[in-house]
């Protein structure tokens, strides 16, 4: 009988390919496919729009290991219909994204953005430097998954007070207090720093809009490292143009790359980063810490040990 | 008898002026001086080159409260000769400078400097983004005073390993290990992040020079928030031009403002900030927490409760 295939999409190091082979001897491991392979692909590591239709139509897929935390770009309904299991890479980007968030906050609070603009113009100017103190600030983390929890724990020794928002308001390690989503508009009023780390779902679409921005302090700052479409871009643009809030940093956008004619490019009180907050050193090592235990478990009894995504919820 | 004068150089809030008056009823408090006042000035809060000669020549100065941590710009030898006591504002800038240091490190590690340059050009580009992980890095803090100790304690929850260097190698709270200055060239070899927080003295002049830079890892970064002349600017310039180390962030310079023709302006792997790391919210409140207890103690018996500077050592 021809062995089923684990299809590895991407350039993984030989040591990891060997480990995968050793963990699943009844599978063949392939990093490229020829047409004859398609009918044997049961497991895919990574997912690419380029071969999505082909794999869905022709392969007996049983399990997809995504290499991202968010999975809204995957055909979740198709997976559900076909009984394809999905695991994500949640947790893998926690340190990177936490460090990114703290970095963009301090860049603003310590006047580094302005200093760098002045540096590019070879200008020594202290008059236009804005500065503030991070220590003592209230931070609201909206979305208290792996990343949110890591962020809350990372700011402890910086003297920040981390509060959390999640669907039900259940307690999460690292937060002083967590609230349910329905309390968001009230809680946000007392916050200095508001961080969005939400997955893209029907419930979170455009959740960051005027109704919320208008409740924030004029000195407050907003950071989004979740999904781009959780932000109502036009309303945030107006909010920043009117300086209703002081500053924002966006790493994700409704359209990526950010279109050349986007008014966001022109805003002085916005830091734009090109979806880089998750860039992670030792990415493969960290991904394999999720995939390999899952593979062992899957081969044994078809179950997955960690990071399984609810296809209904989308996270 | 005409009362002696406390001369407050700077615009302090009325509430603080009132507190000063209440703490020292046998003094007059003045924020500007006329010629007839000069012979009565015993205490000065702040020090300004503009009236330095006049005060030294004509006033019976007993105590100067500096508003900075570093005091190398003060006429220490004159003070010593005349028996003028000196207190500094060390501690007051600890949070600000710690946050500044963490901010410039993360700006580099998370590619924010590059992202901002691209933003100014309205360019979405991920290819040239450098990124690294702060967590797990070794940080060497050279100068383990108030600021160094605060910095070491601030990076704990970020997963950084803080090591310290001071004159004798005495232990300091917050550091995993501290070493004496004579071990610097050896210890620096294993460090990812090197932070200079040294006062300007004969011993520290040009201490950061080629001998040290050449011992650092090629991936290492150097940050100076101490005194500008602790760095051999030309040798650091060459080090950065040759990429012997990866990145530097300077907040202080041998000449300030940094001259327009300085080659530092042209360096891609340097972040220049215009001596802003100490900018501090609630500055007056924090300064008064040093000055007022000292004033009470000085009025009582001529002693100073905290922050007295050794005029011999210069810190």
């Amino acid at each position: 009988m021809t062995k089923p295939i684990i299809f590895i999409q991407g350039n993984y190091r030989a040591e990891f390919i060997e480990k995968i082979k050793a963990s699943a001897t009844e599978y063949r491991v392939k990093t490229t496919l020829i047409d004859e392979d398609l009918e044997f692909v049961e497991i895919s590591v990574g997912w690419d729009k380029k071969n999505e239709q082909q794999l869905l139509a022709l392969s007996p897929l049983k399990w997809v290991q995504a290499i991202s935390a968010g999975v809204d770009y995957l055909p979740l309904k198709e997976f559900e219909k076909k009984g394809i299991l999905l695991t994500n890479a949640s947790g893998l980007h926690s340190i990177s994204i936490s460090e990114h968030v703290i970095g963009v906050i301090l860049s603003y609070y310590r006047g580094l953005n302005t200093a760098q603009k002045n540096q590019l113009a070879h200008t020594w100017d202290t008059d236009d430097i804005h500065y503030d103190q991070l220590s003592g600030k209230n931070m609201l983390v909206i979305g208290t998954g792996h990343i949110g929890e890591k962020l809350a724990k990372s700011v402890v020794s910086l003297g920040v007070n981390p509060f959390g928002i999640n669907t039900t308001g259940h307690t999460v390690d690292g937060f002083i207090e967590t609230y349910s989503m329905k309390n968001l508009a009230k809680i946000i009023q007392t916050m200095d720093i508001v961080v969005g780390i939400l997955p893209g779902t029907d419930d979170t679409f455009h959740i960051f809009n005027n109704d919320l921005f208008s409740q924030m302090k004029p000195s407050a700052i907003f950071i989004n490292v979740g999904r781009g479409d959780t932000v109502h871009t036009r309303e945030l643009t107006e909010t920043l143009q009117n300086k209703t809030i002081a500053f924002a940093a966006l790493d994700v956008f409704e359209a990526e790359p950010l279109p050349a004619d986007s008014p966001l490019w022109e805003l002085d009180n916005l830091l734009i980063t090109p979806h880089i907050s998750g860039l992670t050193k030792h990415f493969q090592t960290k991904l394999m810490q999720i995939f390999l235990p899952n593979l062992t478990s899957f081969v044994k009894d078809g179950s997955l040990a960690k990071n399984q995504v609810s296809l209904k919820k989308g996270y």
Side-chain angles (χ1 to χ4, degrees), chain A:
Chain A
M1 201 190 84
T2 315
K3 283 183 177 179
I5 289 175
I6 301 174
F7 177 34
I8 314 278
Q9 307 202 41
N11 258 324
Y12 289 83
R13 293 208 298 274
E15 59 174 309
F16 293 123
I17 301 292
E18 288 314 308
K19 278 187 183 165
I20 293 168
K21 284 180 179 165
S23 301
T25 50
E26 51 271 67
Y27 282 81
R28 289 178 288 157
V29 174
K30 298 234 165 192
T31 55
T32 52
L33 298 181
I34 55 174
D35 285 351
E36 295 87 272
D37 291 333
L38 282 166
E39 63 182 298
F40 299 102
V41 177
E42 289 190 3
I43 300 171
S44 175
V45 177
W47 192 257
D48 196 324
K49 284 281 169 218
K50 282 202 299 257
N51 51 33
E52 171 169 308
Q53 289 313 318
Q54 216 174 19
L55 284 173
L56 284 176
L58 304 174
S59 299
L61 277 172
K62 292 184 175 171
W63 166 34
V64 172
Q65 168 68 57
I67 62 166
S68 54
V71 293
D72 49 336
Y73 63 93
L74 290 158
L76 303 186
K77 288 204 166 65
E78 284 288 302
F79 282 12
E80 205 180 346
K81 210 165 69 187
K82 292 174 183 287
I84 300 168
L85 304 177
L86 176 62
T87 48
N88 67 10
S90 178
L92 193 154
H93 309 278
S94 303
I95 294 177
S96 302
I97 297 181
S98 294
E99 293 183 354
H100 176 94
V101 169
I102 297 166
V104 300
I105 295 168
L106 285 174
S107 283
Y108 172 66
Y109 276 170
R110 294 310 312 166
L112 305 183
N113 302 328
T114 308
Q116 199 190 20
K117 282 179 201 171
N118 290 339
Q119 179 179 351
L120 291 169
H122 295 201
T123 301
W124 179 280
D125 189 355
T126 53
D127 292 343
D128 60 348
I129 297 290
H130 166 274
Y131 61 94
D132 204 341
Q133 183 174 297
L134 177 58
S135 181
K137 289 288 190 289
N138 290 334
M139 174 191 276
L140 186 65
V141 178
I142 302 160
T144 60
H146 281 116
I147 299 164
E149 185 176 335
K150 181 70 194 168
L151 176 58
K153 290 174 176 171
S154 296
V155 295
V156 170
S157 62
L158 291 166
V160 175
N161 310 312
F163 299 88
I165 296 270
N166 54 43
T167 313
T168 60
H170 62 275
T171 52
V172 177
D173 259 17
F175 290 95
I176 293 173
E177 194 89 62
T178 46
Y179 306 91
S180 71
M181 200 58 96
K182 68 176 189 293
N183 293 303
L184 176 53
K186 185 167 186 300
I187 297 302
I188 209 168
Q189 296 168 10
T190 58
M191 295 292 151
D192 303 297
I193 302 163
V194 175
V195 186
I197 323 185
L198 289 169
T201 70
D202 291 347
D203 288 340
T204 63
F205 182 75
H206 282 191
I207 195 170
F208 297 111
N209 58 29
N210 254 340
D211 292 345
L212 277 184
F213 299 138
S214 64
Q215 298 299 316
M216 290 169 68
K217 289 186 190 182
S219 61
I221 67 180
F222 172 68
I223 296 148
N224 193 25
V225 289
R227 281 297 173 195
D229 64 8
T230 59
V231 171
H232 194 305
T233 305
R234 188 174 52 73
E235 293 186 358
L236 178 60
T237 307
E238 288 162 10
T239 295
L240 291 169
Q241 283 166 341
N242 301 335
K243 304 193 194 306
T244 312
I245 67 172
F247 177 77
L250 299 178
D251 188 51
V252 291
F253 300 86
E254 293 199 74
E256 291 182 16
L258 186 64
D261 63 351
S262 167
L264 292 178
W265 291 114
E266 299 291 345
L267 294 170
D268 242 6
N269 51 352
L270 171 70
L271 180 63
I272 293 172
T273 53
H275 206 139
I276 56 173
S277 64
L279 289 177
T280 301
K281 286 273 165 174
H282 317 302
F283 174 84
Q284 294 189 11
T285 306
K286 292 172 182 171
L287 182 67
M288 288 301 143
Q289 286 165 359
I290 296 170
F291 180 66
L292 288 172
N294 274 340
L295 183 58
T296 302
S297 159
F298 185 80
V299 164
K300 191 174 151 213
D301 59 16
S303 75
L304 294 164
K306 55 169 88 171
N307 283 54
Q308 190 166 354
V309 172
S310 156
L311 296 169
K312 278 209 161 46
K313 286 190 193 168
Y315 60 92

